[in-house]
Amino acid sequence: MSFFRKRDDGVELFVRLTPRSSKDAIEGVEQAADERCHLAARVRAVPEKGEANAALERLLAAEFGIPKKSIKVVAGATSRLKTIRITGNTGELARLMAELARR
């Protein structure tokens, strides 16, 4: 399984977010016990009033070099496991995801 899926208008990324961390960071691709894959990320923000979700969106925008307005949490707003929609060129975004997986 993959930690992202292609869409006509971009990709959906599956993320496991850890809030209240000592740093903002993307830790890589992990596989859960149920064999689903996700991108592990940490943010310093607290999980209140959408602050951790906004910090995750900023972190991903900086990581991929794309505008923050192209990134949105579409599922799991109050959960550690989230689905993030990134709009843009599907081929280019899939290439960025593949590079991230190789780290």
Coordinates of all heavy atoms in Angstrom, one line a residue:
M1 N 0.8 -1.2 0.0 CA 0.0 0.0 0.0 C 0.9 1.2 0.0 O 2.0 1.2 0.5 CB -0.9 0.0 1.2 CG -2.0 -1.0 1.2 SD -3.2 -0.7 2.5 CE -4.3 0.4 1.7
S2 N 0.3 2.3 -0.5 CA 1.0 3.6 -0.6 C 0.5 4.6 0.5 O -0.6 4.4 1.0 CB 0.9 4.2 -2.0 OG 1.5 5.4 -2.1
F3 N 1.3 5.6 0.8 CA 0.9 6.6 1.8 C 0.2 7.7 1.1 O -0.1 8.7 1.7 CB 2.1 7.1 2.6 CG 3.1 7.9 1.8 CD1 3.1 9.3 1.8 CD2 4.0 7.3 0.9 CE1 4.0 10.0 1.1 CE2 4.9 8.0 0.2 CZ 4.9 9.4 0.3
F4 N 0.0 7.6 -0.3 CA -0.7 8.6 -1.0 C -1.5 8.0 -2.1 O -1.2 6.8 -2.5 CB 0.2 9.7 -1.5 CG 1.0 9.3 -2.7 CD1 0.7 9.6 -4.0 CD2 2.2 8.6 -2.5 CE1 1.4 9.2 -5.1 CE2 3.0 8.3 -3.6 CZ 2.6 8.6 -4.9
R5 N -2.5 8.7 -2.7 CA -3.2 8.2 -3.9 C -3.3 9.4 -4.8 O -3.6 10.5 -4.4 CB -4.5 7.5 -3.5 CG -5.5 8.4 -3.0 CD -6.9 7.7 -2.9 NE -7.7 8.4 -1.9 CZ -8.3 7.9 -0.9 NH1 -8.2 6.6 -0.6 NH2 -9.0 8.6 -0.1
K6 N -3.3 9.1 -6.1 CA -3.4 10.1 -7.1 C -4.9 10.5 -7.3 O -5.8 9.6 -7.1 CB -2.9 9.6 -8.5 CG -1.4 9.4 -8.4 CD -0.9 8.9 -9.8 CE 0.5 8.6 -9.8 NZ 1.0 8.1 -11.1
R7 N -5.1 11.7 -7.6 CA -6.5 12.2 -7.9 C -6.3 13.0 -9.3 O -5.2 13.4 -9.6 CB -7.0 13.2 -6.9 CG -7.2 12.5 -5.5 CD -7.7 13.5 -4.5 NE -8.7 14.4 -5.0 CZ -10.0 14.2 -4.9 NH1 -10.5 13.1 -4.4 NH2 -10.8 15.1 -5.4
D8 N -7.4 13.3 -9.9 CA -7.4 14.1 -11.1 C -6.8 15.5 -10.9 O -6.1 16.0 -11.8 CB -8.8 14.3 -11.7 CG -9.3 13.0 -12.3 OD1 -8.5 12.1 -12.6 OD2 -10.6 12.9 -12.4
D9 N -7.0 16.0 -9.7 CA -6.5 17.4 -9.4 C -5.3 17.5 -8.4 O -5.1 18.5 -7.9 CB -7.7 18.2 -8.9 CG -8.2 17.7 -7.6 OD1 -7.9 16.5 -7.2 OD2 -9.0 18.4 -6.9
G10 N -4.6 16.3 -8.2 CA -3.5 16.3 -7.3 C -3.4 15.0 -6.6 O -3.5 13.9 -7.3
V11 N -3.1 15.0 -5.3 CA -2.9 13.8 -4.6 C -3.6 13.9 -3.2 O -3.8 15.0 -2.7 CB -1.4 13.4 -4.4 CG1 -0.7 13.1 -5.7 CG2 -0.7 14.4 -3.6
E12 N -3.9 12.7 -2.6 CA -4.3 12.7 -1.2 C -3.2 12.0 -0.5 O -2.8 10.9 -0.9 CB -5.7 12.0 -1.1 CG -6.8 12.8 -1.5 CD -8.2 12.2 -1.1 OE1 -8.3 11.0 -0.9 OE2 -9.1 13.0 -1.2
L13 N -2.8 12.5 0.6 CA -1.7 12.1 1.4 C -2.2 11.6 2.8 O -3.0 12.3 3.4 CB -0.7 13.2 1.6 CG 0.5 13.1 2.4 CD1 1.4 12.1 1.8 CD2 1.2 14.4 2.5
F14 N -1.8 10.4 3.2 CA -2.2 9.9 4.5 C -1.1 10.2 5.5 O 0.0 9.8 5.3 CB -2.5 8.4 4.4 CG -3.4 8.1 3.3 CD1 -3.0 7.4 2.2 CD2 -4.8 8.5 3.3 CE1 -3.9 7.2 1.1 CE2 -5.6 8.3 2.3 CZ -5.2 7.6 1.2
V15 N -1.5 10.9 6.6 CA -0.5 11.4 7.6 C -0.9 10.9 9.0 O -2.0 11.0 9.4 CB -0.4 12.9 7.5 CG1 0.6 13.4 8.6 CG2 0.0 13.4 6.2
R16 N 0.1 10.6 9.8 CA 0.0 10.4 11.2 C 0.7 11.5 11.9 O 1.9 11.6 11.8 CB 0.5 9.0 11.7 CG 0.3 8.8 13.2 CD 0.8 7.5 13.7 NE 0.3 7.2 15.0 CZ 0.9 7.8 16.1 NH1 1.9 8.6 16.0 NH2 0.4 7.4 17.3
L17 N -0.1 12.4 12.5 CA 0.5 13.6 13.1 C 0.7 13.5 14.6 O -0.2 13.0 15.3 CB -0.4 14.8 12.8 CG 0.0 16.1 13.4 CD1 1.3 16.6 12.7 CD2 -1.1 17.2 13.1
T18 N 1.8 13.9 15.1 CA 2.1 14.0 16.5 C 2.2 15.4 16.9 O 3.2 16.1 16.5 CB 3.4 13.2 16.9 OG1 3.3 11.9 16.5 CG2 3.7 13.3 18.4
P19 N 1.2 16.0 17.6 CA 1.3 17.4 18.1 C 2.2 17.5 19.3 O 2.6 16.5 19.9 CB -0.1 17.7 18.3 CG -0.8 16.5 18.7 CD -0.1 15.4 17.9
R20 N 2.4 18.7 19.8 CA 3.2 19.0 21.0 C 4.5 18.4 20.9 O 5.1 18.0 22.0 CB 2.4 18.5 22.2 CG 1.2 19.3 22.5 CD 0.6 18.9 23.9 NE -0.6 19.5 24.2 CZ -1.7 18.9 24.4 NH1 -1.8 17.6 24.4 NH2 -2.8 19.6 24.7
S21 N 5.2 18.4 19.8 CA 6.5 17.8 19.7 C 7.5 18.9 20.0 O 7.2 20.1 20.1 CB 6.7 17.3 18.2 OG 8.0 16.8 18.0
S22 N 8.8 18.5 20.1 CA 9.8 19.5 20.3 C 10.3 20.2 19.1 O 11.0 21.2 19.1 CB 11.0 18.8 21.0 OG 11.5 17.8 20.1
K23 N 9.8 19.7 17.9 CA 10.2 20.3 16.6 C 9.1 20.0 15.6 O 8.3 19.1 15.7 CB 11.5 19.8 16.2 CG 11.6 18.3 15.9 CD 12.9 17.9 15.5 CE 12.9 16.4 15.2 NZ 14.2 15.9 14.7
D24 N 9.1 20.8 14.5 CA 8.3 20.5 13.3 C 9.1 19.7 12.4 O 10.2 20.1 12.0 CB 7.9 21.8 12.6 CG 6.9 22.6 13.5 OD1 6.3 22.1 14.5 OD2 6.7 23.8 13.1
A25 N 8.7 18.5 12.0 CA 9.5 17.6 11.2 C 8.6 16.6 10.5 O 7.6 16.1 11.0 CB 10.6 17.0 12.0
I26 N 9.1 16.2 9.3 CA 8.5 15.0 8.6 C 9.5 13.9 8.9 O 10.7 14.0 8.6 CB 8.4 15.3 7.1 CG1 7.3 16.4 7.0 CG2 8.0 14.0 6.4 CD1 7.0 16.8 5.6
E27 N 9.1 12.8 9.4 CA 9.9 11.7 9.8 C 10.0 10.6 8.8 O 10.9 9.7 9.0 CB 9.5 11.2 11.2 CG 9.6 12.2 12.2 CD 9.3 11.7 13.6 OE1 8.4 10.8 13.8 OE2 10.0 12.2 14.5
G28 N 9.2 10.6 7.8 CA 9.3 9.5 6.8 C 8.0 8.7 6.7 O 7.0 9.0 7.4
V29 N 8.1 7.7 5.9 CA 6.9 6.8 5.6 C 7.0 5.7 6.6 O 8.0 5.0 6.8 CB 6.9 6.3 4.2 CG1 5.7 5.4 3.9 CG2 6.8 7.5 3.2
E30 N 5.9 5.4 7.3 CA 5.8 4.2 8.2 C 4.6 3.3 7.8 O 3.7 3.8 7.1 CB 5.6 4.8 9.6 CG 6.7 5.6 10.1 CD 6.4 6.1 11.5 OE1 5.3 6.1 12.0 OE2 7.4 6.6 12.2
Q31 N 4.7 2.1 8.3 CA 3.6 1.2 8.1 C 3.0 0.8 9.4 O 3.7 0.4 10.4 CB 4.1 -0.1 7.4 CG 3.0 -1.0 7.0 CD 3.5 -2.2 6.1 OE1 4.7 -2.3 5.9 NE2 2.6 -2.9 5.5
A32 N 1.7 0.9 9.5 CA 1.0 0.6 10.8 C 0.8 -0.9 10.9 O 1.0 -1.7 9.9 CB -0.4 1.3 10.8
A33 N 0.3 -1.3 12.0 CA 0.0 -2.8 12.3 C -1.0 -3.3 11.3 O -0.9 -4.5 11.0 CB -0.4 -3.0 13.7
D34 N -1.9 -2.5 10.8 CA -2.9 -3.0 9.9 C -2.4 -2.9 8.4 O -3.2 -3.1 7.5 CB -4.2 -2.2 10.0 CG -4.0 -0.7 9.7 OD1 -2.9 -0.3 9.3 OD2 -5.0 0.0 9.8
E35 N -1.1 -2.7 8.3 CA -0.4 -2.7 7.0 C -0.7 -1.5 6.1 O -0.2 -1.4 5.0 CB -0.6 -4.0 6.2 CG -0.1 -5.2 7.0 CD -0.2 -6.5 6.1 OE1 -0.4 -6.4 4.9 OE2 0.0 -7.5 6.7
R36 N -1.4 -0.5 6.7 CA -1.6 0.8 5.9 C -0.4 1.6 6.1 O 0.2 1.7 7.2 CB -2.8 1.5 6.4 CG -4.1 0.8 5.9 CD -5.3 1.6 6.2 NE -5.5 1.8 7.6 CZ -6.4 2.6 8.2 NH1 -7.3 3.2 7.4 NH2 -6.5 2.7 9.5
C37 N 0.0 2.4 5.1 CA 1.2 3.2 5.2 C 0.7 4.7 5.4 O -0.4 5.1 4.9 CB 2.0 3.2 3.9 SG 2.8 1.6 3.7
H38 N 1.5 5.5 6.0 CA 1.3 6.9 6.3 C 2.6 7.6 6.4 O 3.6 7.0 6.7 CB 0.4 7.1 7.5 CG 1.0 6.5 8.7 ND1 0.7 5.3 9.2 CD2 1.9 7.0 9.6 CE1 1.4 5.0 10.3 NE2 2.1 6.0 10.5
L39 N 2.5 8.9 6.2 CA 3.7 9.8 6.4 C 3.6 10.2 7.9 O 2.6 10.7 8.4 CB 3.5 11.0 5.5 CG 4.7 12.0 5.6 CD1 6.0 11.4 5.0 CD2 4.3 13.3 4.8
A40 N 4.7 10.0 8.6 CA 4.8 10.4 10.0 C 5.3 11.9 10.1 O 6.3 12.2 9.5 CB 5.7 9.5 10.8
A41 N 4.6 12.7 10.8 CA 4.9 14.1 10.9 C 4.8 14.5 12.4 O 3.9 14.0 13.1 CB 4.1 15.0 10.0
R42 N 5.6 15.5 12.8 CA 5.5 16.1 14.1 C 5.4 17.6 14.0 O 6.0 18.2 13.1 CB 6.7 15.8 14.9 CG 7.0 14.4 15.2 CD 8.3 14.1 16.0 NE 8.3 12.8 16.4 CZ 7.7 12.3 17.5 NH1 7.0 13.1 18.3 NH2 7.9 11.0 17.8
V43 N 4.6 18.2 14.9 CA 4.5 19.7 14.9 C 4.6 20.1 16.4 O 4.1 19.4 17.3 CB 3.3 20.2 14.2 CG1 3.3 20.0 12.7 CG2 2.0 19.7 14.8
R44 N 5.0 21.3 16.6 CA 5.1 21.9 18.0 C 3.7 22.4 18.4 O 3.5 22.4 19.6 CB 6.1 23.1 18.0 CG 7.5 22.6 17.9 CD 8.4 23.8 18.0 NE 8.2 24.8 16.9 CZ 9.0 25.1 16.0 NH1 10.2 24.6 16.0 NH2 8.7 26.0 15.1
A45 N 2.8 22.7 17.5 CA 1.5 23.2 17.9 C 0.7 22.2 18.7 O 0.9 21.0 18.6 CB 0.8 23.6 16.6
V46 N -0.2 22.8 19.5 CA -1.1 22.0 20.3 C -2.3 21.7 19.4 O -2.7 22.4 18.5 CB -1.6 22.8 21.5 CG1 -0.4 23.0 22.4 CG2 -2.3 24.1 21.2
P47 N -3.0 20.5 19.7 CA -4.2 20.1 19.0 C -5.5 20.8 19.4 O -6.4 20.2 19.8 CB -4.2 18.6 19.2 CG -3.7 18.5 20.6 CD -2.6 19.5 20.7
E48 N -5.4 22.1 19.4 CA -6.6 22.9 19.8 C -6.9 23.9 18.8 O -6.0 24.6 18.2 CB -6.3 23.6 21.2 CG -6.1 22.7 22.3 CD -5.6 23.4 23.6 OE1 -5.5 24.6 23.6 OE2 -5.3 22.7 24.5
K49 N -8.2 24.1 18.5 CA -8.7 25.1 17.5 C -8.0 25.0 16.2 O -7.8 26.0 15.5 CB -8.5 26.5 18.1 CG -9.2 26.7 19.4 CD -9.0 28.1 19.9 CE -9.7 28.3 21.3 NZ -9.3 29.5 21.9
G50 N -7.7 23.8 15.8 CA -7.1 23.6 14.5 C -5.6 24.0 14.3 O -5.1 24.0 13.2
E51 N -5.0 24.3 15.4 CA -3.6 24.8 15.4 C -2.6 23.8 14.8 O -1.8 24.1 14.0 CB -3.1 25.3 16.7 CG -3.8 26.6 17.2 CD -3.4 27.1 18.5 OE1 -2.2 26.8 18.9 OE2 -4.2 27.6 19.3
A52 N -2.8 22.5 15.3 CA -1.9 21.5 14.8 C -2.1 21.2 13.3 O -1.1 21.0 12.6 CB -2.0 20.2 15.6
N53 N -3.3 21.2 12.9 CA -3.6 21.0 11.5 C -3.0 22.1 10.6 O -2.4 21.8 9.6 CB -5.1 20.9 11.2 CG -5.7 19.7 11.8 OD1 -5.1 18.7 12.0 ND2 -7.0 19.7 12.1
A54 N -3.2 23.4 11.1 CA -2.6 24.5 10.3 C -1.1 24.4 10.3 O -0.4 24.6 9.2 CB -3.0 25.8 11.0
A55 N -0.5 23.9 11.4 CA 1.0 23.8 11.4 C 1.4 22.7 10.4 O 2.5 22.8 9.8 CB 1.5 23.5 12.8
L56 N 0.6 21.6 10.4 CA 0.9 20.5 9.4 C 0.9 21.0 8.0 O 1.7 20.7 7.2 CB 0.0 19.3 9.6 CG 0.1 18.2 8.6 CD1 1.5 17.6 8.7 CD2 -1.0 17.2 8.9
E57 N -0.2 21.8 7.7 CA -0.3 22.3 6.3 C 0.9 23.2 6.0 O 1.4 23.1 4.9 CB -1.6 23.1 6.2 CG -2.8 22.2 6.2 CD -4.2 23.0 6.4 OE1 -4.1 24.2 6.6 OE2 -5.2 22.4 6.2
R58 N 1.3 24.1 6.9 CA 2.5 24.9 6.7 C 3.8 24.1 6.5 O 4.6 24.3 5.6 CB 2.7 25.9 7.8 CG 1.7 27.0 7.9 CD 2.1 28.1 8.9 NE 2.3 27.6 10.3 CZ 1.3 27.5 11.1 NH1 0.1 27.9 10.8 NH2 1.5 27.0 12.3
L59 N 3.9 23.0 7.3 CA 5.1 22.1 7.2 C 5.1 21.5 5.8 O 6.2 21.4 5.2 CB 5.0 21.1 8.3 CG 6.1 20.0 8.3 CD1 7.5 20.7 8.5 CD2 5.8 19.0 9.4
L60 N 4.0 20.9 5.4 CA 4.0 20.3 4.1 C 4.2 21.2 2.9 O 4.9 20.9 2.0 CB 2.6 19.5 3.9 CG 2.4 18.3 4.8 CD1 1.0 17.8 4.7 CD2 3.4 17.2 4.6
A61 N 3.7 22.4 3.0 CA 3.9 23.5 2.0 C 5.4 23.8 1.9 O 5.9 23.9 0.8 CB 3.1 24.7 2.3
A62 N 6.0 23.9 3.0 CA 7.5 24.2 3.0 C 8.3 23.0 2.5 O 9.2 23.2 1.7 CB 7.9 24.6 4.4
E63 N 7.9 21.8 2.9 CA 8.6 20.6 2.4 C 8.5 20.5 0.9 O 9.5 20.1 0.3 CB 8.0 19.4 3.1 CG 8.6 18.1 2.7 CD 10.0 17.9 3.1 OE1 10.4 18.4 4.1 OE2 10.7 17.1 2.4
F64 N 7.4 20.7 0.3 CA 7.2 20.4 -1.1 C 7.4 21.7 -2.0 O 7.3 21.6 -3.2 CB 5.8 19.8 -1.3 CG 5.6 18.5 -0.7 CD1 4.5 18.3 0.1 CD2 6.5 17.5 -0.8 CE1 4.3 17.1 0.8 CE2 6.3 16.3 -0.1 CZ 5.2 16.1 0.6
G65 N 7.5 22.8 -1.3 CA 7.7 24.1 -2.1 C 6.5 24.5 -2.9 O 6.6 24.9 -4.0
I66 N 5.3 24.3 -2.2 CA 4.1 24.7 -2.9 C 3.3 25.6 -2.0 O 3.5 25.7 -0.8 CB 3.2 23.4 -3.2 CG1 2.9 22.6 -2.0 CG2 3.9 22.5 -4.3 CD1 2.1 21.4 -2.2
P67 N 2.4 26.4 -2.6 CA 1.6 27.3 -1.7 C 0.7 26.6 -0.7 O 0.2 25.5 -1.0 CB 0.7 28.0 -2.7 CG 1.2 27.7 -4.1 CD 2.0 26.4 -4.0
K68 N 0.6 27.2 0.5 CA -0.2 26.6 1.5 C -1.6 26.4 1.1 O -2.3 25.5 1.6 CB -0.1 27.5 2.8 CG -0.8 26.9 4.0 CD -0.7 27.8 5.2 CE -1.6 27.3 6.3 NZ -3.0 27.4 6.0
K69 N -2.1 27.3 0.3 CA -3.5 27.3 -0.2 C -3.8 26.0 -1.0 O -5.0 25.6 -1.1 CB -3.9 28.5 -0.9 CG -3.2 28.6 -2.3 CD -3.7 29.9 -3.0 CE -3.0 29.9 -4.4 NZ -3.4 31.1 -5.1
S70 N -2.8 25.3 -1.4 CA -3.0 24.1 -2.2 C -3.1 22.8 -1.3 O -3.3 21.7 -1.8 CB -1.7 23.8 -3.1 OG -1.6 24.9 -4.0
I71 N -3.0 23.0 0.0 CA -3.0 21.9 1.0 C -4.1 22.1 2.0 O -4.3 23.2 2.5 CB -1.6 21.9 1.7 CG1 -0.5 21.7 0.7 CG2 -1.6 20.8 2.8 CD1 0.9 21.8 1.4
K72 N -4.9 21.0 2.2 CA -6.0 21.1 3.1 C -6.2 19.7 3.8 O -6.2 18.7 3.1 CB -7.3 21.5 2.3 CG -8.5 21.6 3.2 CD -9.6 22.4 2.5 CE -10.8 22.5 3.3 NZ -10.7 23.2 4.5
V73 N -6.5 19.8 5.1 CA -6.9 18.6 5.8 C -8.3 18.3 5.4 O -9.2 19.1 5.6 CB -6.8 18.8 7.3 CG1 -7.3 17.6 8.1 CG2 -5.3 19.0 7.7
V74 N -8.6 17.1 4.8 CA -10.0 16.8 4.3 C -10.6 15.7 5.2 O -11.8 15.5 5.1 CB -10.0 16.4 2.8 CG1 -9.6 17.6 2.0 CG2 -9.1 15.2 2.5
A75 N -9.9 15.0 6.0 CA -10.4 14.0 6.9 C -9.5 13.8 8.1 O -8.3 14.0 8.0 CB -10.6 12.7 6.2
G76 N -10.1 13.6 9.2 CA -9.3 13.3 10.4 C -8.9 14.6 11.2 O -7.9 14.6 11.8
A77 N -9.7 15.6 11.1 CA -9.3 16.9 11.7 C -9.1 16.8 13.2 O -8.2 17.5 13.7 CB -10.4 18.0 11.4
T78 N -9.8 15.9 13.8 CA -9.6 15.8 15.3 C -8.9 14.5 15.6 O -8.8 14.1 16.8 CB -10.9 15.8 16.0 OG1 -11.8 14.8 15.6 CG2 -11.6 17.2 15.8
S79 N -8.3 13.8 14.7 CA -7.6 12.5 14.9 C -6.1 12.7 14.5 O -5.7 13.6 13.9 CB -8.3 11.5 13.9 OG -7.5 10.3 13.9
R80 N -5.3 11.7 15.0 CA -3.9 11.7 14.7 C -3.7 11.3 13.2 O -2.8 11.7 12.6 CB -3.1 10.7 15.5 CG -2.9 11.2 16.9 CD -2.1 10.2 17.7 NE -1.9 10.7 19.1 CZ -0.8 11.3 19.5 NH1 0.2 11.5 18.7 NH2 -0.7 11.7 20.7
L81 N -4.6 10.4 12.7 CA -4.5 9.9 11.3 C -5.4 10.9 10.5 O -6.6 11.0 10.7 CB -5.0 8.5 11.2 CG -4.2 7.5 12.0 CD1 -4.8 6.1 11.9 CD2 -2.8 7.4 11.4
K82 N -4.7 11.5 9.5 CA -5.4 12.5 8.7 C -5.2 12.2 7.2 O -4.3 11.5 6.8 CB -4.7 13.9 8.9 CG -4.8 14.3 10.4 CD -4.2 15.6 10.7 CE -4.3 15.9 12.2 NZ -5.6 16.0 12.7
T83 N -6.2 12.7 6.4 CA -6.0 12.7 5.0 C -5.9 14.1 4.5 O -6.7 15.0 4.9 CB -7.3 12.1 4.3 OG1 -7.5 10.7 4.8 CG2 -7.1 12.0 2.8
I84 N -4.8 14.4 3.8 CA -4.5 15.7 3.3 C -4.7 15.7 1.8 O -4.1 14.9 1.1 CB -3.0 16.1 3.6 CG1 -2.7 15.8 5.1 CG2 -2.7 17.5 3.2 CD1 -3.4 16.6 6.1
R85 N -5.4 16.7 1.3 CA -5.5 16.9 -0.2 C -4.6 18.0 -0.6 O -4.6 19.1 -0.1 CB -6.9 17.2 -0.6 CG -7.1 17.3 -2.1 CD -8.5 17.3 -2.5 NE -9.2 16.1 -2.1 CZ -10.4 16.0 -1.8 NH1 -11.2 17.0 -1.8 NH2 -10.9 14.8 -1.4
I86 N -3.7 17.6 -1.6 CA -2.8 18.6 -2.2 C -3.2 18.7 -3.7 O -3.2 17.8 -4.4 CB -1.3 18.1 -2.1 CG1 -1.0 17.8 -0.6 CG2 -0.4 19.2 -2.7 CD1 0.4 17.3 -0.4
T87 N -3.6 19.9 -4.0 CA -4.0 20.2 -5.4 C -2.9 20.7 -6.2 O -2.0 21.4 -5.7 CB -5.2 21.2 -5.5 OG1 -4.9 22.4 -4.8 CG2 -6.5 20.6 -4.8
G88 N -2.8 20.3 -7.5 CA -1.8 20.7 -8.4 C -1.6 19.7 -9.5 O -2.4 18.8 -9.7
N89 N -0.4 19.7 -10.1 CA -0.1 18.8 -11.2 C 0.1 17.4 -10.6 O 1.0 17.2 -9.8 CB 1.2 19.2 -11.9 CG 1.6 18.3 -13.0 OD1 1.9 17.2 -12.8 ND2 1.5 18.8 -14.2
T90 N -0.7 16.4 -10.9 CA -0.7 15.1 -10.3 C 0.6 14.4 -10.5 O 1.2 13.8 -9.6 CB -1.9 14.2 -10.9 OG1 -3.1 14.9 -10.6 CG2 -1.9 12.9 -10.2
G91 N 1.2 14.5 -11.7 CA 2.4 13.8 -12.0 C 3.6 14.4 -11.2 O 4.4 13.6 -10.7
E92 N 3.6 15.7 -11.1 CA 4.7 16.4 -10.3 C 4.6 16.0 -8.8 O 5.5 15.7 -8.2 CB 4.7 17.9 -10.6 CG 5.7 18.6 -9.8 CD 7.1 18.3 -10.1 OE1 7.4 17.8 -11.2 OE2 8.0 18.7 -9.3
L93 N 3.3 16.1 -8.3 CA 3.1 15.8 -6.9 C 3.5 14.3 -6.6 O 4.0 14.0 -5.6 CB 1.7 16.1 -6.5 CG 1.4 17.6 -6.5 CD1 -0.1 17.8 -6.3 CD2 2.1 18.3 -5.3
A94 N 3.1 13.4 -7.5 CA 3.4 12.0 -7.3 C 4.9 11.8 -7.3 O 5.5 11.0 -6.5 CB 2.8 11.1 -8.4
R95 N 5.7 12.5 -8.1 CA 7.1 12.5 -8.1 C 7.7 13.0 -6.8 O 8.6 12.3 -6.2 CB 7.7 13.3 -9.3 CG 9.2 13.2 -9.4 CD 9.8 14.2 -10.4 NE 9.6 15.6 -10.0 CZ 10.3 16.2 -9.1 NH1 11.2 15.6 -8.4 NH2 10.0 17.5 -8.8
L96 N 7.1 14.0 -6.3 CA 7.6 14.5 -5.0 C 7.3 13.5 -3.9 O 8.2 13.3 -3.0 CB 6.9 15.9 -4.6 CG 7.3 17.1 -5.4 CD1 6.3 18.2 -5.1 CD2 8.7 17.5 -5.1
M97 N 6.2 12.8 -3.9 CA 5.8 11.8 -2.9 C 6.8 10.6 -3.0 O 7.3 10.1 -2.0 CB 4.4 11.3 -3.1 CG 3.3 12.3 -2.9 SD 3.4 13.1 -1.3 CE 3.1 14.8 -1.9
A98 N 7.1 10.2 -4.2 CA 8.1 9.1 -4.4 C 9.4 9.5 -3.9 O 10.1 8.7 -3.3 CB 8.2 8.8 -5.9
E99 N 9.9 10.7 -4.1 CA 11.2 11.2 -3.5 C 11.2 11.1 -2.0 O 12.1 10.7 -1.4 CB 11.5 12.6 -4.0 CG 11.9 12.7 -5.4 CD 12.2 14.1 -5.9 OE1 12.2 15.0 -5.0 OE2 12.4 14.3 -7.1
L100 N 10.1 11.5 -1.5 CA 9.9 11.5 0.0 C 10.0 10.1 0.5 O 10.6 9.9 1.6 CB 8.6 12.2 0.4 CG 8.3 12.4 1.9 CD1 9.3 13.3 2.5 CD2 6.9 13.0 2.0
A101 N 9.4 9.2 -0.2 CA 9.4 7.8 0.3 C 10.7 7.2 0.3 O 11.1 6.3 1.0 CB 8.4 7.0 -0.6
R102 N 11.6 7.7 -0.6 CA 13.0 7.1 -0.7 C 13.9 7.6 0.4 O 15.0 7.0 0.5 CB 13.6 7.4 -2.1 CG 13.0 6.6 -3.2 CD 13.8 6.7 -4.5 NE 13.7 8.0 -5.1 CZ 12.8 8.4 -6.0 NH1 11.9 7.5 -6.4 NH2 12.8 9.6 -6.5
R103 N 13.5 8.6 1.1 CA 14.4 9.1 2.1 C 14.6 8.2 3.3 O 13.8 7.4 3.7 CB 13.9 10.4 2.7 CG 14.1 11.6 1.8 CD 13.9 12.8 2.6 NE 13.0 13.7 1.9 CZ 12.5 14.8 2.5 NH1 12.7 15.0 3.8 NH2 11.7 15.6 1.8

